[in-house]
Amino acid sequence: MDYEMILKEIKPNTNEKEKVESLAKSMIDFINYTSEKENIPTKALLVGSVAKNTWLSGRADIDIFLHFPLDTSIEDLKKHGLKLGYACIKKMKGTPEERYASHPYVTGHIEGYSVDFVPCYSIENSQELKSAVDRTILHTHYIQSNLRSEQINQVLLLKKFMEGVETYGSEFKVGGFAGYLCELLIIEYGDFKSVLEAASSQWKKGFVIDLENHGTGNNFSEPLVVIDPVDPNRNVAAALNIQKMSEFMAASRNYLQEPKKEYFFNIPRTITKDTILKRFHERGTRPIIISFKAPDIPADAIYPQLKKTETSLKTKMEQNGFKVLRSGYWTNEDTKAFIIIEFDVWNLPHCETHLGPRIWDANHQKKFLEKYASAWLDGNQWVVEIERKHNNVPDFINYLLKKENIHHLKIGKHLKEEILNQYEMKDIDDFLSENNSQKILEFFHQYLNPGKHLRR
Amino acid sequence: MDYEMILKEIKPNTNEKEKVESLAKSMIDFINYTSEKENIPTKALLVGSVAKNTWLSGRADIDIFLHFPLDTSIEDLKKHGLKLGYACIKKMKGTPEERYASHPYVTGHIEGYSVDFVPCYSIENSQELKSAVDRTILHTHYIQSNLRSEQINQVLLLKKFMEGVETYGSEFKVGGFAGYLCELLIIEYGDFKSVLEAASSQWKKGFVIDLENHGTGNNFSEPLVVIDPVDPNRNVAAALNIQKMSEFMAASRNYLQEPKKEYFFNIPRTITKDTILKRFHERGTRPIIISFKAPDIPADAIYPQLKKTETSLKTKMEQNGFKVLRSGYWTNEDTKAFIIIEFDVWNLPHCETHLGPRIWDANHQKKFLEKYASAWLDGNQWVVEIERKHNNVPDFINYLLKKENIHHLKIGKHLKEEILNQYEMKDIDDFLSENNSQKILEFFHQYLNPGKHLRR
């Protein structure tokens, strides 16, 4: 494999690097000048992948942390931090957008870059931690001190490979590997290929990596445990789910078996509505799509609610005898969201059997027979046929999504509001005739080809 | 409850009794005279319910046992025994019909009665037992010696009640209580009502009754264990299945709660084809009837084969995703037999998911992926969608009943021959339009009202 060729495509060139670094420097200088002038006890610091030199070309997210002394009140930190951020964005002629992590921060869209201004406390070690963001400065220092310069290329290859096989990113939507996690894996295993080899043949559920020998691996129950070198009580891989861990292992095996450049890049796709519909028709299932407005909450809060709702709906449908082949969900993280449930069985008879007590249980038998005069015995168990209340899928979904019945489902509260307010239920044909953006078609393509990204 | 009134209907009057007894006596005299004349070492003996005085009016089955000394060869016993039986039937101007139990016997249809001539060995206790029929003489003696004369009416009530609630008869078709078992229950509990009270409140799965305290109760695993007073190694209730034991318990509870004369008599029924069809249509299920010629074997051999075939078909259908609500079988014990399977789910999509190895299992993964290139991961498990071979019920049944596929089913060999030779598969409408005898309608009525006989 010609890694140099790949690096040529993914590593920022001198020009791009200088531009990003000079932009970052001018913003840091502005904040430090302003804070000094206005007597605000803070210093700006470049952190994250730009500071660590581990960013991919075209993908520079500039992270500027404004660190305050530990005795600053949280109100002052928030007030001054955000004020300085807004001021800097204004000065740079950017557009501000306020966001929330464990405490507020502001993002500026400046000269085509996304720049985060995050107020935090200036800590020297994890015992002083006041909020999760405080760790970031320690992380940046750790990588700067422990990642050898020749390993930077290895980090870039690993990140890009993970992007190609769709396991990169610790946000809930992906549930994959964070950038910091990639850097730690390179420090642990030495280079890109060794990470893939370890994942292929060594990793098991609950595998522990403990760079600084903190010895706290047994405290965690996630699929992969990577003890944070700067905080023994944190698993850097906490957001990595079993799905993405498994997918990375599978993709690593596939790649090592037959390395191809294509693993580092997205699969080019030409997707049409007709291809999608043809595939669904061939399957002979009944795919039902329930769409509604996405609630106005951060993306990382929408996805868990969608997942919970999908799971709960699926469970209820199956409990009622409507067998589900597969299901999924999608949102543009803004206005639209939908859940697809693909049914094996979507019509049922008007009657169903209901099991009663055993014959040995004279008391329960009495009550049961008072209620069900037509009961009979199947062996030693009382059985009765009762009318099935819901014998087709659309009726049952409409029933469940009524205000008085929705408590049967486990739905996140924001989603519940939106669904109760308005939802649409459609077959795949009807849905796609009105919703055929490339993003939506891509979702269905992925839904119909769920293993394609693991192999080239 | 006016038991006298019921007894008036069910107990043979003097006239009927004298007729049966004199007929039996003349046959026994003939056999004893002939055997003495021809120097055959046997004596005829009246056994069974007529000998015990426990037969129901209109239901006298005369059992004549021809007992031979223990040193008689089985060939001689069979030859002489059957010869004397045939001779007696001829003398009485009856029609013979040869039957098989553990060894051959002959039944004569004589003056409207069914008379069994059974050759057996003359034994004094169960250690001398050479075949199952040898016990009958011991049973008759035991009841004659231990059933008090006033208890005879109680036996009649119990037998008639069991008939009414359809739990009487130890043949496989019923799987209920034998006449001898009824007599032992009366000896154990004293009278009719006490048997019902014990069944209602004391009986459990594996309940043991051991009149002669043989102490062998733990050797048996049947639902009810009644140690044969004349043979510690035999459970008189061995043929009673959990279904009929449970039904008798339920009917006893119902009767004791509200005693009614109607429990002692069959429920009068008016059944029409249209009522049956209406009920099936209301249910919205899909009932499929597979009919074929009944094999030419004794009834007690047909039923187990039908049951086995029904169970095996049902299991296979469910394994393939075709959910079964209920099923049943019927035969006229002569020419016709059928199995009904009533489906909840009878159409399925063209695809199904197939589970593969876990991601941790690199070797199995390799083989699985070589076979299924489109596989994907669901959590840590490989999954693939494959084409479903059989996606509707009639096609799958036709597939299974082909000569090259029938080995997938567990079918008794005589039934297999008949089915492979010819079978018809029909919906209930088509089936009933061609098969609407009262017996068949009664079967479907019972199928649709499976608890009705337990309650009046």
Side-chain angles (χ1 to χ4, degrees), chain A residues 205 243 246 250 253 282-284 326 344 349-350 359-360 365 369 375-377 379-380 382 385 450-451 455, chain B residues 205 243 246 250 253 282-283 326 344 349-350 359-360 365 369 375-380 382 385 450-451 455:
Chain A
K205 201 173 179 171
Q243 178 76 30
S246 302
R253 287 179 196 161
E282 279 165 2
R283 292 154 79 83
R326 288 210 281 129
D344 265 348
H350 298 288
I359 184 73
W360 330 115
Q365 175 193 299
L369 293 182
W376 72 91
L377 282 155
N380 59 24
W382 284 102
E385 249 163 41
R455 195 196 273 244
Chain B
K205 201 173 180 173
Q243 178 76 31
S246 301
R253 287 180 195 160
E282 280 166 3
R283 293 155 77 84
R326 288 211 280 129
D344 266 349
H350 299 288
I359 184 74
W360 329 115
Q365 176 193 296
L369 293 182
W376 72 92
L377 282 156
D378 181 13
N380 59 23
W382 285 101
E385 249 163 40
R455 195 196 273 246

Side-chain angles (χ1 to χ4, degrees), chain A residues 48 85 91 101 110 119 149 182-183 193 216 255 257 261 272 276 279 302 328 342 355 421 434 447:
Chain A
K91 172 79 170 52
I110 299 168
S149 60
C182 290
E183 292 148 6
K193 210 176 154 208
T216 48
Y255 175 82
Q257 217 176 323
K261 190 190 162 202
T272 65
I276 302 285
R279 280 287 298 282
I302 302 180
E342 197 182 359
L355 299 181
N421 187 37
E434 292 172 24
Y447 176 91

Side-chain angles (χ1 to χ4, degrees), chain B residues 23 59 81 100 124 142 168 216 230 237-238 248 260 334-335 343 360 396 405 453:
Chain B
L23 174 64
R59 221 73 64 74
Y100 296 81
E124 308 242 312
Y142 186 84
Y168 185 64
T216 48
V230 307
F248 178 66
K260 287 180 188 170
D334 180 18
T335 50
F343 290 93
W360 329 115
F396 190 44
N405 304 319
H453 57 292

